């Protein structure tokens, strides 16, 4: 066992309702980062003010420390219900492999969807998806978002977990059948954490354009890299498994 101090840290992740992410890693465990992350989101997304209302509902925290009594490494990780589905992404950015995150204790009145929804008109950028994954540095937040510099996921080979997107045209019987079959396939075949986000191209054509999706249904594997997609043949089990399991298929 190693007790290198650099292995011990506190991490805080702040999500937006649209699925963007900004996070920080504090080896000294001395700072309160929530205010900094909100201020950084304000600057990056050109918000009228820091979106403090996202805290705590859209946050996740992790603490990797040394137990003074047992001298064993201990990890405490918890996420609020609205972001618990992002476990694969959280494990990727904090390099935690297949860690299972706990549900943070919460009071419904503090995370009421109707209350949070009242902010949507004034903060529409937060409900949009910009494929934003930014690490906030101690020396300050970035003055502007440059996608080629900040939006990429860190290179962490052999990190378990999948991030998938399914593009559909409306929610109908065919969409429901695709979802049922896909969920069954993922549960039976992956044996790893995964996040599946369904995007209706009729409601969000800009997301389809950004992902270069021109037909539905289309399934896109965002993580692990490289990005791969299957168009149309969602019922082809063998093809989907090749997409997921073989990185260069």
């Amino acid at each position: 066992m190693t007790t290198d101090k650099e292995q011990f840290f506190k991490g805080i992740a702040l999500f937006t309702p649209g699925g963007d992410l900004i996070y920080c890693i504090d080896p000294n465990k001395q700072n309160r980062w929530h205010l900094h992350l909100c201020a950084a989101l304000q600057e990056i997304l050109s918000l009228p003010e820091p979106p403090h209302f996202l805290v705590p509902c859209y946050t996740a925290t992790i603490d990797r420390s040394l137990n003074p009594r047992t001298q064993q490494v201990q990890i405490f990780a918890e996420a609020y219900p609205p972001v618990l589905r992002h476990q694969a992404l959280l494990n990727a950015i904090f390099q935690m492999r297949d860690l299972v995150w706990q549900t943070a204790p919460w009071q419904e009145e503090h995370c009421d969807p109707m209350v949070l929804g009242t902010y949507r008109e004034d903060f529409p950028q937060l409900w949009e998806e910009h494929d934003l994954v930014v690490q906030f540095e101690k020396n300050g937040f970035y003055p502007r978002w440059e996608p080629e510099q900040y939006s990429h996921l860190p290179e962490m080979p052999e990190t378990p977990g999948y991030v998938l997107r399914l593009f559909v045209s409306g929610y109908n019987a065919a969409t429901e059948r695709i979802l049922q079959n896909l969920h069954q396939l993922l549960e039976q075949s992956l044996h790893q954490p995964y996040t599946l986000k369904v995007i209706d191209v009729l409601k969000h054509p800009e997301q389809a354009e950004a992902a270069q999706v021109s037909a539905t249904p289309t399934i896109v594997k965002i993580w692990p890299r490289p990005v791969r997609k299957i168009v149309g043949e969602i019922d082809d089990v063998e093809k989907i498994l090749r997409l997921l399991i073989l990185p260069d298929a």
Side-chain angles (χ1 to χ4, degrees):
M1 181 191 70
T2 177
T3 59
D4 187 349
K5 185 179 179 181
E6 292 184 357
Q7 289 194 3
F8 307 133
F9 66 91
K10 182 176 182 179
I12 297 175
L14 175 63
F15 288 87
T16 69
D20 293 322
L21 166 64
I22 185 168
Y23 69 99
C24 63
I25 297 175
D26 182 10
N28 298 319
K29 303 185 181 182
Q30 295 177 347
N31 294 307
R32 299 182 62 184
W33 288 99
H34 291 95
L35 296 180
H36 300 298
L37 296 181
C38 289
L41 274 182
Q42 178 190 13
E43 182 73 16
I44 294 170
L45 297 178
S46 300
L47 303 176
E49 60 184 79
H52 299 307
F53 56 88
L54 295 179
V55 181
C57 309
Y58 287 92
T59 62
T61 59
I62 182 170
D63 194 326
R64 193 176 193 277
S65 60
L66 184 69
N67 188 311
R69 183 175 61 85
T70 64
Q71 292 300 300
Q72 298 291 319
V73 175
Q74 60 184 14
I75 300 174
F76 179 74
E78 64 178 16
Y80 280 81
V83 301
L84 199 60
R85 60 191 177 92
H86 296 297
Q87 289 191 55
L89 181 55
L90 289 167
N91 284 336
I93 63 174
F94 293 122
Q95 302 188 49
M96 288 292 108
R97 303 184 72 83
D98 57 351
L99 178 68
V100 176
W101 289 63
Q102 304 301 313
T103 303
W106 64 299
Q107 296 180 351
E108 188 171 357
E109 61 267 23
H110 294 160
C111 297
D112 189 326
M114 295 185 63
V115 174
L116 292 171
T118 62
Y119 292 95
R120 186 165 186 167
E121 183 176 351
D122 295 327
F123 297 85
Q125 303 95 317
L126 296 177
W127 272 262
E128 301 167 356
E129 185 177 18
H130 306 89
D131 286 329
L132 183 68
V133 178
V134 172
Q135 181 174 358
F136 179 83
E137 300 290 351
K138 187 176 181 180
N139 60 353
F141 52 84
Y142 306 118
R144 53 190 289 267
W145 175 39
E146 299 178 8
E148 67 275 9
Q149 184 174 359
Y150 301 128
S151 65
H152 64 279
L153 284 169
E155 294 184 4
M156 283 173 278
E158 301 180 4
T159 300
Y162 290 84
V163 178
L164 308 169
R165 291 178 186 162
L166 175 64
F167 291 84
V168 299
S169 297
Y171 288 91
N172 47 43
T175 300
E176 186 64 28
R177 179 181 58 82
I178 290 172
L179 279 173
Q180 290 178 355
N181 293 341
L182 189 55
H183 276 299
Q184 184 178 5
L185 172 64
L186 295 174
E187 292 292 336
Q188 293 178 352
S189 304
L190 276 190
H191 307 297
Q192 292 190 35
Y194 68 88
T195 298
L196 174 63
K197 181 175 182 179
V198 181
I199 299 173
D200 184 352
V201 300
L202 300 180
K203 295 182 178 180
H204 303 285
E206 74 287 350
Q207 295 191 32
E209 182 178 357
Q212 298 182 340
V213 171
S214 57
T216 58
T218 293
I219 184 170
V220 182
K221 182 191 69 167
I222 303 298
W223 183 267
R225 300 299 194 190
V227 175
R228 299 293 185 192
K229 66 177 66 173
I230 294 178
V231 181
E233 301 174 272
I234 304 298
D235 292 329
D236 190 332
V237 174
E238 184 177 346
K239 191 170 184 178
I240 293 178
L241 291 179
R242 287 203 307 270
L243 168 82
L244 298 176
I245 297 173
L246 301 178
D248 296 322

